[in-house]
């Protein structure tokens, strides 16, 4: 049996003999030493090596090579040992200024051969020089290795690992080459094993190669990430968090078990007793015991209610962010509110639906947590639900207080060495933070997840388009998630929860207006959001997705570069090209030009918009056209229209804002009331006072049957907008034979063939007069009206989202295969 | 390409001379390796043993190459420094003389360094002794309880040897007292206990006590260190080895704590510790389960063979065998000629007579827990047959723990 100690020698001849002596004093039989003189210019290195060979005949092998650095010398020693010692079992890396106690290799070999998965055995680090003693114990996990290199270079490496071709990277000459080596070994499926009471002495001097490396730490860590990118990808971090360091311990009052999971909808259960033991052990050695970073006590039924509203993951994610600054956060659900949302408040714990506790605070000072719970006031996360919720009570508070009280007053004895590793409950968060990612949404990657980002979600056309697209995506194996960027709440459209698996909100609101005036792109706004701290958390929200579709969120633009580097494919959805009253370019289409290089593609709703994009510089092959179809599923067939003997009926349906040409609408209504029955349905976007149109304004309708009734009633739908994309209302009206009368803006002409299935108006001063004229003609010529109506029905008979979405589905499949 | 037959031997040689081609071998006390052309390759060999391996790195021990002209293979030598070319034996001799001069100079320099280290060591010892004397004038603070533990679940200890070991979650630094809780004891001569405080990483003994059976009484047995344990920065490991004689009984407390460790603070605490065995302090314990070779010095001047006439007897003795830390000694004998009986003994204990007709015999003798330092080990023999018998004591090893 042979173990080879490889000792690279360069510029430390006085200490070399000590290292060799400690290797030769090993109690493990068959220990050989291979000294690799790495081209050292000091003759003393050579003579010391030869004297060691003379002192230990046949057991010390000495060679010299051209200077190649520490990694090259180690590799040369490894290759020599593999070729020369046929019964070699392992190779030990011993730096020339370190030492090992006599039983080190024997104990290391026991650890190394304890499991076929173990590729290397690593020691605690007992400083030589300083008096520090460092504990690297605890289970071997890959996630902590991404944060701290707790595997010293002075580790015993199995022959299997070396036969697999693993060697030190010779291009890393400034340090951390051992850390990079272990990470690469882990990628190849090997794992490390701690050696208890190993007896490894590490010489630590004020100035050394390590001191130099520490000064270059950020640079070298970036270098390691560059060489092992897959390990730091957010998907991998989430996978590691789920498998090794689950974030949550979820307790239900009265239940006998505790669910340990990253994903609050999943996870494995352990008994309360096991959890209490884990918590107690983690008080002493948080670097050894993987206790979840968050303890969540949820009243019965609360998780189900949150899941039903698609808010479960959003609530846990938000709680994690709050727990960075607060040790305790309460949860309170509000029932039967028309909007879904989350807000912060301060409130009582004794009437709540849940309590979240930061484990770090609990381990550090359980008495303080007990006091906070006793005082029964905390930061509170208020969640609005549209349905019913359980009655809040004090059961979460009492359960949390009981668990805290069961923690032993005095912590158990800690390991006497100072911990080298970061507390396990903080590892993933710190690893992610180093790559610019904040709190990650707590869901394990798997399947095909697509986040659809919108600044707000009310009853606008864009929201309805995206909802329909989400339905189609879901039926094709995608899991859509709705993300609201600008507001803390949203108004769910019918069918929302059937389309979106979850509803999420950015860390806070107001980010859409954070623009950077110094960096406007040809006058269009550019977001300053990425410069600010909440951006890292927003990245964390999206980093676990496979695809992000950003439709109209300025803040999300600024995140796309980081998301893409993290392996998330990013698309921008463009629906309209806008200008303000002064003719300045505004809106997403213009701003998106500044981010084109960061996106994998753009989804546009019309040929006109596609031409505009390519004309502005988008590569043609990055543009995918997904035409709109009606924004809801109709409940009826196109009605028989018997309008010959009655007044003409006209409808306006939409937001009551300047874009829609309200001044034109007002004039047209005024001049046609004598022969047209009008209905106006809509509301201002910003909840301001409704305009005076001379008739009563009906509230917005969203229910399909109400919309069907509205379109069935109207003969004509007027849309005198200054700019549009492809309004859904035109398609919905046409589907039921309601004739559109619309300005030729945006891609309206792609939805309406003038004189065939609708009428187009010029977007200028002639609009009003021509609209009035058209209404008069239709009023007089009901046959022409009927023909237009019939043609409109025919045009929309084959317009289905399933069909219009095919190019996007193909694009997404292509992105996933890259 | 250069190939080497038995590359391990070449790399492990501190000094070699290469002969190029058919150069005659000089009469020099040096390993001589010869470089010959074989086909497309050059092969460097000494004894033509083993399949050749390619030479990727230069062996450090090559003094030079003896060659009439610059060898053709010199450009293939790995690294940037090809070996020195020596034209004749006189050049070799000059090189060796220069190496000798350099070695003597180095030796002189090393001796100077040793002298300097010794002087510093002596000054440090004086300083430590002075500090100890002055520190002894100050009353130390009361020791504090560092750690409480158990030796493990157990019932009454069985007759014979039992070894218990416990790695504690504390460093041994500054430990001043070790307490062992005995629940019940009825012990006398023949029962003894060896307690060691060990640095787990280095397996060195920081403190050692031998407790005779008469001192094993119910209650807390408090074992003091003469002065606090050294600052080794190692994990405390407590090892208790008990030899229970037939008829005796000994039970440690369980589940109540049976182990306590006290730490000294402030001024050092000097104690008279009558049970403490200072001969073991600093000793490295051998590994468990391995029969270790003993130093050759134990045989110096001692006969290893005995010729027994029919009916005769004799004894071979090794007077100073290091037995501290070991549990057993193993003697290997080879007998030729007639049958004999042999007995291995150490102090008052022995294996009893064992028969061997012819050939090899291994005698194993368990050492008592109080065995420490050096002991006399002997093999007594008596001839049992009608013809003379030759007995050779081939080997003596020692082991600790499981065999």
């Amino acid at each position: 049996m042979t173990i080879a100690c490889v000792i690279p020698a360069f510029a430390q001849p006085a200490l070399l003999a000590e290292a060799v002596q400690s290797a030769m004093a090993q109690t493990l039989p068959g220990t050989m030493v291979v000294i690799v003189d790495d081209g050292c210019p000091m003759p003393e290195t050579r003579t010391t090596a030869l004297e060691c060979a003379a002192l230990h005949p046949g057991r010390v092998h000495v060679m010299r090579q051209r200077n190649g650095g520490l990694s090259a010398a180690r590799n040369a020693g490894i290759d020599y040992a593999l070729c020369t010692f046929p019964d070699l079992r392992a190779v030990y890396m011993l730096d020339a200024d370190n030492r090992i106690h006599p039983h080190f290799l024997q104990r290391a070999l026991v650890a190394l051969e304890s499991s076929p998965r173990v590729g290397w055995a690593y020691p605690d680090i007992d400083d030589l020089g300083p008096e520090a003693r460092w504990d690297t114990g605890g289970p071997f996990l890959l996630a902590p290795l991404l944060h701290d290199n707790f595997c010293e270079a002075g580790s015993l490496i199995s022959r299997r690992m070396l036969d697999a071709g693993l060697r030190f990277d010779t291009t890393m000459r400034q340090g951390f080459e051992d850390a990079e080596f272990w990470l690469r070994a882990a990628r190849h499926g090997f794992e490390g094993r701690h050696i208890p009471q190993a007896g490894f002495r590490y010489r630590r001097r004020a100035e050394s190669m390590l001191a130099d490396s520490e000064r270059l730490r950020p640079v070298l860590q970036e270098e390691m990430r560059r060489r092992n990118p897959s390990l730091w990808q957010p998907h991998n971090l989430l996978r590691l968090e789920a498998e090794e360091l689950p974030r949550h311990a979820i307790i239900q009052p009265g239940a006998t078990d505790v669910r340990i999971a990253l994903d609050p909808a999943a996870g494995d259960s352990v008994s309360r007793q096991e959890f209490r033991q884990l918590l107690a052990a983690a008080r002493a050695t948080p670097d050894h015991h993987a206790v979840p970073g968050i303890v969540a006590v949820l009243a019965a039924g609360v998780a189900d209610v949150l899941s039903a509203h698609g808010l479960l993951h959003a609530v846990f994610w938000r709680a994690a962010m709050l727990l960075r600054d607060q040790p305790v956060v309460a949860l309170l659900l509000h029932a039967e509110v028309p909007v879904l949302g989350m807000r912060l408040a301060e409130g009582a714990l004794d009437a709540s639906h849940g309590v979240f506790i930061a484990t770090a605070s609990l381990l550090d000072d359980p008495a303080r947590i007990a006091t906070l719970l006793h005082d029964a006031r905390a930061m509170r996360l208020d969640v609005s639900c549209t349905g019913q919720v359980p009655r809040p009570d004090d059961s979460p508070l009492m359960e949390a207080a009981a668990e805290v009280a069961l923690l032993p007053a005095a912590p158990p004895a800690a390991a006497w060495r100072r911990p080298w590793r970061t507390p396990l409950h903080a590892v993933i968060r710190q690893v992610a933070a180093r790559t610019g990612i904040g709190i990650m949404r707590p869901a394990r990657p798997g399947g095909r997840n697509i986040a659809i980002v919108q600044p707000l979600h009310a009853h606008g056309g864009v929201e309805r388009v995206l909802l329909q697209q989400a339905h189609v995506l879901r039926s094709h194996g995608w899991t859509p998630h709705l993300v609201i960027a600008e507001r803390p709440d949203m108004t769910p459209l019918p069918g929302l929860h059937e389309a979106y698996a979850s509803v999420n909100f950015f860390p806070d609101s107001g980010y859409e207006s954070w623009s950077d005036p110094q960096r406007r792109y040809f006058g269009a706004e550019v977001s300053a959001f990425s410069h600010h701290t909440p951006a890292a958390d927003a990245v964390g929200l999206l980093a676990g997705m496979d695809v992000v579709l950003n439709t109209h969120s300025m803040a999300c633009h600024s995140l796309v570069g980081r998301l893409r580097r993290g392996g998330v494919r990013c698309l921008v959805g463009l629906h309209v090209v806008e200008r303000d009253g002064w003719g300045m370019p505004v809106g997403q289409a213009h701003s998106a030009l500044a981010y084109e290089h960061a996106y994998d593609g753009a989804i546009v709703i019309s040929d006109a918009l596609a031409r505009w994009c390519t004309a502005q510089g988008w590569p043609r092959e990055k543009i995918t056209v997904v035409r709109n179809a009606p924004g809801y599923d109709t409940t009826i067939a196109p009605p028989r229209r018997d309008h010959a003997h009655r007044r003409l009926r006209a409808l306006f349906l939409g937001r009551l804002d300047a874009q829609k040409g309200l001044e034109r609408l007002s004039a047209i209504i005024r001049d046609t009331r004598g022969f047209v029955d009008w209905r106006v349905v809509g509301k201002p976007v910003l909840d301001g006072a409704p305009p005076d149109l001379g008739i009563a304004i009906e509230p917005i309708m969203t229910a399909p049957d109400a919309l069907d009734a509205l379109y069935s009633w109207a003969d004509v739908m007027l849309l005198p907008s200054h700019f549009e994309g492809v309004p859904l209302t035109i398609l919905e009206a046409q589907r039921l034979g309601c004739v559109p009368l619309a300005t030729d803006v945006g891609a309206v002409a792609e939805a309406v063939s003038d004189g065939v299935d609708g009428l187009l108006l010029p977007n200028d001063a002639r609009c009003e007069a021509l609209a009035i004229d058209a209404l008069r003609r239709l009023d007089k010529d009901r046959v022409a009206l009927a023909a237009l109506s019939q043609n409109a029905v025919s045009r929309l008979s084959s317009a289905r989202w399933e069909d219009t979405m095919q190019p996007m589905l193909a694009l997404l499949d292509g992105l996933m295969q890259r | 390409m250069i190939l080497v037959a038995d590359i391990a031997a070449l790399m492990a040689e501190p000094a070699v001379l290469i002969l190029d081609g058919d150069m005659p071998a000089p009469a020099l006390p040096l390993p001589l390796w010869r470089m010959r052309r074989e086909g497309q390759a050059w092969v460097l060999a000494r004894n033509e043993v083993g399949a050749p391996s390619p030479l990727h790195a230069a062996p450090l021990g090559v003094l030079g190459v003896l060659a009439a002209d610059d060898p053709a293979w010199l450009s293939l030598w790995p690294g940037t420094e090809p070996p020195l070319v020596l034209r004749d034996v006189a050049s070799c001799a000059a090189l060796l003389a220069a190496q000798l001069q350099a070695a003597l100079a180095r030796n002189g320099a090393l001796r100077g360094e040793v002298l300097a280290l010794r002087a510093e060591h002596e000054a440090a010892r004086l300083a430590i002794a002075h500090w100890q004397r002055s520190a002894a004038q100050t009353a130390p603070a009361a020791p504090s309880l560092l750690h409480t533990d158990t030796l493990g679940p157990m019932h009454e200890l069985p007759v014979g040897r039992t070894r218990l070991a416990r790695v504690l979650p504390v460093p041994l630094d500054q430990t001043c007292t070790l307490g062992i809780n005995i629940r019940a004891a009825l012990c006398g001569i023949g029962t003894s206990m060896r307690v060691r405080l060990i640095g787990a990483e280095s397996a060195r003994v920081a403190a050692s006590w031998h407790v005779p059976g008469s001192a094993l009484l119910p209650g807390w047995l408090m074992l003091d260190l003469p002065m606090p344990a050294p600052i080794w920065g190692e994990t405390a490991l407590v090892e208790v080895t008990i030899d229970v004689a037939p008829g005796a009984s000994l039970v440690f407390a369980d589940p109540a704590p049976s182990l306590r460790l006290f730490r000294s603070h402030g001024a050092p605490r000097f104690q008279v510790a009558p049970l403490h065995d200072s001969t073991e302090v600093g000793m490295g314990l051998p590994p468990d389960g391995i029969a270790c070779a003993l130093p050759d010095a134990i045989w110096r001047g001692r006969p290893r063979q005995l010729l027994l006439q029919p009916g005769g007897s004799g004894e071979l003795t090794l007077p100073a065998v290091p037995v501290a830390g070991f549990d057993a000694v193993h003697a290997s004998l080879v007998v030729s000629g007639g049958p004999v009986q042999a007995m291995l003994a150490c102090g008052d204990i022995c294996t009893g007579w064992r028969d061997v007709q012819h050939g090899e015999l291994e005698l194993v003798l368990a050492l008592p827990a109080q065995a420490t330092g050096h002991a006399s080990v002997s093999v007594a023999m008596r001839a049992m047959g009608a013809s003379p018998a030759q007995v050779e004591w081939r080997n003596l090893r020692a082991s600790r723990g499981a065999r």
Side-chain angles (χ1 to χ4, degrees), chain A residues 7 208 528:
Chain A
I7 305 179
S208 62

Side-chain angles (χ1 to χ4, degrees), chain A residues 100-117:
Chain A
I100 47 179
H101 279 304
H103 298 296
F104 177 92
L105 286 180
Q106 183 184 35
R107 293 171 182 174
L109 195 60
V110 169
L112 188 69
E113 298 184 341
S114 60
S115 159
R117 284 185 57 82

